Coordinates of all heavy atoms in Angstrom, one line a residue:
R32 N 139.8 74.6 111.9 CA 141.1 74.0 111.5 C 141.2 73.8 110.0 O 142.2 74.0 109.4 CB 141.4 72.8 112.3 CG 141.6 73.0 113.8 CD 142.8 73.8 114.2 NE 144.0 73.0 113.9 CZ 145.2 73.5 113.8 NH1 145.4 74.8 113.9 NH2 146.2 72.7 113.5
L33 N 140.1 73.3 109.5 CA 140.1 73.0 108.0 C 140.2 74.3 107.3 O 141.0 74.4 106.3 CB 138.9 72.2 107.6 CG 138.8 70.8 108.0 CD1 137.5 70.2 107.7 CD2 140.0 70.0 107.4
D34 N 139.5 75.4 107.7 CA 139.6 76.7 107.1 C 141.0 77.3 107.2 O 141.5 77.9 106.2 CB 138.6 77.7 107.7 CG 137.1 77.4 107.2 OD1 137.0 76.7 106.2 OD2 136.2 77.9 107.9
E35 N 141.6 77.1 108.4 CA 143.0 77.6 108.6 C 143.9 76.9 107.5 O 144.8 77.6 106.9 CB 143.5 77.2 110.0 CG 143.3 78.2 111.0 CD 144.0 77.8 112.3 OE1 144.3 76.6 112.5 OE2 144.4 78.8 113.0
R36 N 143.8 75.6 107.3 CA 144.7 74.9 106.4 C 144.4 75.4 105.0 O 145.4 75.5 104.2 CB 144.5 73.4 106.6 CG 145.1 72.9 107.9 CD 145.2 71.4 108.0 NE 145.8 71.1 109.2 CZ 145.1 70.9 110.3 NH1 143.8 70.9 110.4 NH2 145.8 70.6 111.5
R37 N 143.2 75.6 104.6 CA 142.8 76.1 103.3 C 143.5 77.4 103.0 O 144.1 77.7 102.0 CB 141.3 76.1 103.0 CG 140.7 74.7 102.8 CD 139.2 74.9 102.5 NE 138.6 73.6 102.7 CZ 137.8 73.3 103.7 NH1 137.5 74.1 104.7 NH2 137.3 72.1 103.8
R38 N 143.3 78.3 104.0 CA 143.9 79.7 103.8 C 145.4 79.7 103.7 O 146.0 80.5 103.1 CB 143.4 80.6 105.0 CG 142.0 81.0 104.9 CD 141.7 82.1 105.9 NE 142.0 81.8 107.3 CZ 141.2 81.2 108.2 NH1 140.0 80.9 107.8 NH2 141.5 80.9 109.4
A39 N 146.0 78.7 104.4 CA 147.5 78.6 104.3 C 148.0 77.8 103.1 O 149.2 77.6 102.9 CB 148.0 77.9 105.6
G40 N 147.0 77.4 102.3 CA 147.4 76.7 101.0 C 147.8 75.2 101.3 O 148.4 74.6 100.5
E41 N 147.4 74.7 102.5 CA 147.8 73.3 102.8 C 146.6 72.4 102.5 O 145.4 72.9 102.4 CB 148.1 73.2 104.3 CG 149.2 74.1 104.8 CD 149.4 74.1 106.3 OE1 148.5 73.5 107.0 OE2 150.3 74.8 106.8
P42 N 146.8 71.1 102.4 CA 145.7 70.2 102.2 C 144.7 70.3 103.3 O 145.1 70.4 104.5 CB 146.3 68.8 102.1 CG 147.8 69.1 101.9 CD 148.1 70.4 102.4
A43 N 143.4 70.3 103.0 CA 142.4 70.4 104.0 C 142.2 69.0 104.6 O 141.2 68.3 104.4 CB 141.1 70.9 103.4
E44 N 143.1 68.6 105.5 CA 143.0 67.3 106.1 C 142.8 67.6 107.6 O 143.2 68.6 108.2 CB 144.4 66.6 106.0 CG 144.7 66.2 104.6 CD 146.0 65.5 104.5 OE1 147.0 66.0 105.1 OE2 146.1 64.4 103.8
H45 N 142.2 66.6 108.2 CA 141.9 66.7 109.7 C 142.5 65.5 110.3 O 142.4 64.3 109.9 CB 140.4 66.7 109.9 CG 140.0 66.6 111.3 ND1 140.4 67.6 112.2 CD2 139.3 65.7 112.0 CE1 139.9 67.3 113.4 NE2 139.2 66.2 113.3
W46 N 143.2 65.7 111.5 CA 143.8 64.6 112.2 C 143.9 64.9 113.7 O 143.7 66.0 114.1 CB 145.3 64.4 111.7 CG 146.2 65.5 112.0 CD1 146.9 65.7 113.1 CD2 146.6 66.4 111.0 NE1 147.7 66.8 113.0 CE2 147.6 67.3 111.7 CE3 146.4 66.7 109.7 CZ2 148.2 68.3 111.1 CZ3 147.0 67.8 109.1 CH2 147.9 68.6 109.8
H47 N 144.1 63.9 114.4 CA 144.3 64.0 115.9 C 145.7 63.4 116.1 O 146.0 62.3 115.6 CB 143.3 63.2 116.7 CG 143.6 63.2 118.1 ND1 143.4 64.3 118.9 CD2 144.1 62.3 119.0 CE1 143.7 64.1 120.2 NE2 144.1 62.8 120.2
T48 N 146.6 64.1 116.9 CA 147.9 63.6 117.1 C 147.9 62.9 118.5 O 147.3 63.3 119.5 CB 148.9 64.8 117.2 OG1 148.8 65.5 116.0 CG2 150.3 64.3 117.5
T49 N 148.6 61.7 118.5 CA 148.7 60.9 119.7 C 150.1 60.4 119.8 O 150.8 60.2 118.8 CB 147.7 59.8 119.7 OG1 147.8 59.1 120.9 CG2 147.8 58.8 118.6
R50 N 150.6 60.1 121.0 CA 151.9 59.6 121.2 C 152.0 58.1 120.9 O 153.0 57.7 120.3 CB 152.4 59.9 122.6 CG 153.8 59.3 122.8 CD 154.6 60.1 123.8 NE 155.9 59.6 123.8 CZ 156.6 59.3 124.9 NH1 156.1 59.5 126.1 NH2 157.9 58.9 124.8
M51 N 151.0 57.4 121.3 CA 151.1 55.9 121.1 C 150.6 55.5 119.7 O 149.5 55.9 119.3 CB 150.3 55.2 122.2 CG 150.8 55.6 123.6 SD 152.5 55.2 123.9 CE 152.5 53.5 123.8
M52 N 151.3 54.7 119.1 CA 151.0 54.2 117.8 C 150.1 52.9 118.0 O 150.6 52.0 118.7 CB 152.3 53.8 117.0 CG 152.0 53.2 115.7 SD 151.5 54.4 114.5 CE 151.5 53.4 113.0
P53 N 148.9 52.8 117.4 CA 148.2 51.6 117.6 C 148.9 50.4 116.9 O 149.3 50.5 115.8 CB 146.9 51.9 116.8 CG 146.8 53.4 116.7 CD 148.2 53.9 116.7
T54 N 149.1 49.4 117.7 CA 149.8 48.2 117.2 C 148.9 47.4 116.3 O 149.3 46.6 115.4 CB 150.2 47.3 118.3 OG1 149.1 46.9 119.1 CG2 151.3 47.9 119.2
R55 N 147.6 47.6 116.4 CA 146.6 47.0 115.5 C 146.1 47.9 114.4 O 144.9 48.0 114.1 CB 145.5 46.4 116.4 CG 146.0 45.4 117.4 CD 145.0 45.0 118.4 NE 143.9 44.2 117.8 CZ 142.8 43.8 118.5 NH1 142.7 44.1 119.7 NH2 141.9 43.2 117.8
G56 N 147.0 48.7 113.9 CA 146.6 49.8 113.0 C 145.9 49.3 111.7 O 145.0 50.0 111.2
D57 N 146.2 48.1 111.2 CA 145.5 47.6 110.0 C 144.1 47.4 110.3 O 143.2 47.7 109.4 CB 146.2 46.3 109.5 CG 147.6 46.5 108.9 OD1 147.9 47.7 108.5 OD2 148.3 45.5 108.8
E58 N 143.7 46.9 111.5 CA 142.3 46.7 111.8 C 141.6 48.1 112.0 O 140.5 48.2 111.7 CB 142.2 45.9 113.1 CG 142.7 44.5 113.0 CD 142.8 43.8 114.4 OE1 141.7 43.4 114.8 OE2 143.9 43.7 115.0
V59 N 142.3 49.0 112.6 CA 141.8 50.4 112.9 C 141.4 51.1 111.5 O 140.4 51.7 111.4 CB 142.7 51.2 113.7 CG1 142.2 52.6 113.8 CG2 142.8 50.6 115.1
T60 N 142.3 51.0 110.6 CA 142.1 51.7 109.3 C 141.3 50.9 108.3 O 141.0 51.3 107.2 CB 143.5 52.0 108.6 OG1 144.2 50.8 108.4 CG2 144.2 53.0 109.4
D61 N 140.8 49.7 108.7 CA 139.9 48.9 107.9 C 138.4 49.2 108.3 O 137.6 48.3 108.4 CB 140.2 47.4 108.1 CG 139.4 46.5 107.2 OD1 139.1 47.0 106.1 OD2 139.2 45.3 107.6
G62 N 138.1 50.5 108.4 CA 136.7 50.9 108.7 C 136.5 51.3 110.1 O 135.3 51.5 110.5
G63 N 137.5 51.4 110.9 CA 137.3 51.8 112.3 C 137.1 53.3 112.5 O 137.4 54.0 111.6
S64 N 136.6 53.6 113.6 CA 136.4 55.0 113.9 C 137.0 55.4 115.2 O 137.3 54.6 116.1 CB 134.9 55.3 114.0 OG 134.2 55.2 112.8
L65 N 137.2 56.7 115.4 CA 137.6 57.3 116.7 C 136.3 57.8 117.4 O 135.6 58.7 116.9 CB 138.6 58.4 116.5 CG 139.1 59.1 117.7 CD1 139.8 58.2 118.7 CD2 140.0 60.3 117.4
Y66 N 136.0 57.1 118.5 CA 134.8 57.5 119.3 C 135.2 58.5 120.3 O 136.2 58.3 121.1 CB 134.2 56.3 119.9 CG 133.4 55.4 118.9 CD1 134.0 54.6 118.0 CD2 132.0 55.5 118.9 CE1 133.2 53.8 117.1 CE2 131.2 54.8 118.0 CZ 131.9 54.0 117.2 OH 131.1 53.2 116.3
W67 N 134.5 59.6 120.3 CA 134.9 60.7 121.2 C 134.0 60.7 122.5 O 132.8 60.7 122.4 CB 134.7 62.1 120.6 CG 135.7 62.4 119.5 CD1 135.4 62.4 118.1 CD2 137.0 62.7 119.6 NE1 136.6 62.8 117.5 CE2 137.6 62.9 118.4 CE3 137.9 62.8 120.7 CZ2 138.9 63.3 118.2 CZ3 139.2 63.2 120.5 CH2 139.7 63.4 119.3
V68 N 134.7 60.8 123.7 CA 134.0 60.9 125.0 C 134.0 62.4 125.3 O 135.1 63.0 125.4 CB 134.8 60.1 126.1 CG1 134.1 60.3 127.4 CG2 134.9 58.6 125.7
I69 N 132.8 62.9 125.4 CA 132.6 64.3 125.7 C 131.8 64.5 126.9 O 130.7 63.9 127.0 CB 131.9 65.1 124.5 CG1 132.7 64.9 123.2 CG2 131.7 66.5 124.9 CD1 132.0 65.5 122.0
K70 N 132.4 65.1 127.9 CA 131.7 65.3 129.2 C 131.2 64.0 129.8 O 130.0 63.9 130.2 CB 130.6 66.3 129.1 CG 131.1 67.7 128.8 CD 131.8 68.3 129.9 CE 132.2 69.7 129.7 NZ 132.9 70.3 130.8
G71 N 132.0 63.0 129.8 CA 131.7 61.7 130.4 C 130.8 60.7 129.7 O 130.5 59.7 130.2
S72 N 130.5 61.0 128.4 CA 129.7 60.1 127.6 C 130.3 60.1 126.1 O 130.7 61.1 125.6 CB 128.3 60.5 127.5 OG 127.6 60.4 128.7
V73 N 130.3 58.9 125.6 CA 130.6 58.8 124.1 C 129.4 59.4 123.4 O 128.3 59.1 123.7 CB 130.7 57.3 123.7 CG1 130.9 57.3 122.1 CG2 131.9 56.6 124.4
Q74 N 129.7 60.4 122.5 CA 128.6 61.1 121.9 C 128.7 61.1 120.4 O 127.7 61.4 119.7 CB 128.6 62.6 122.4 CG 128.3 62.7 123.9 CD 128.1 64.2 124.3 OE1 127.6 65.0 123.5 NE2 128.5 64.5 125.5

Side-chain angles (χ1 to χ4, degrees):
R32 296 292 292 161
L33 290 173
D34 284 343
E35 265 189 338
R36 288 191 178 92
R37 285 185 195 104
R38 284 193 304 270
E41 299 172 359
E44 297 178 311
H45 175 61
W46 66 80
H47 176 74
T48 304
T49 183
R50 180 153 187 223
M51 302 303 295
M52 175 77 172
T54 57
R55 299 170 67 183
D57 289 342
E58 293 172 81
V59 171
T60 57
D61 187 27
S64 290
L65 179 59
Y66 281 78
W67 289 110
V68 178
I69 300 173
K70 294 293 186 182
S72 293
V73 177
Q74 296 185 33

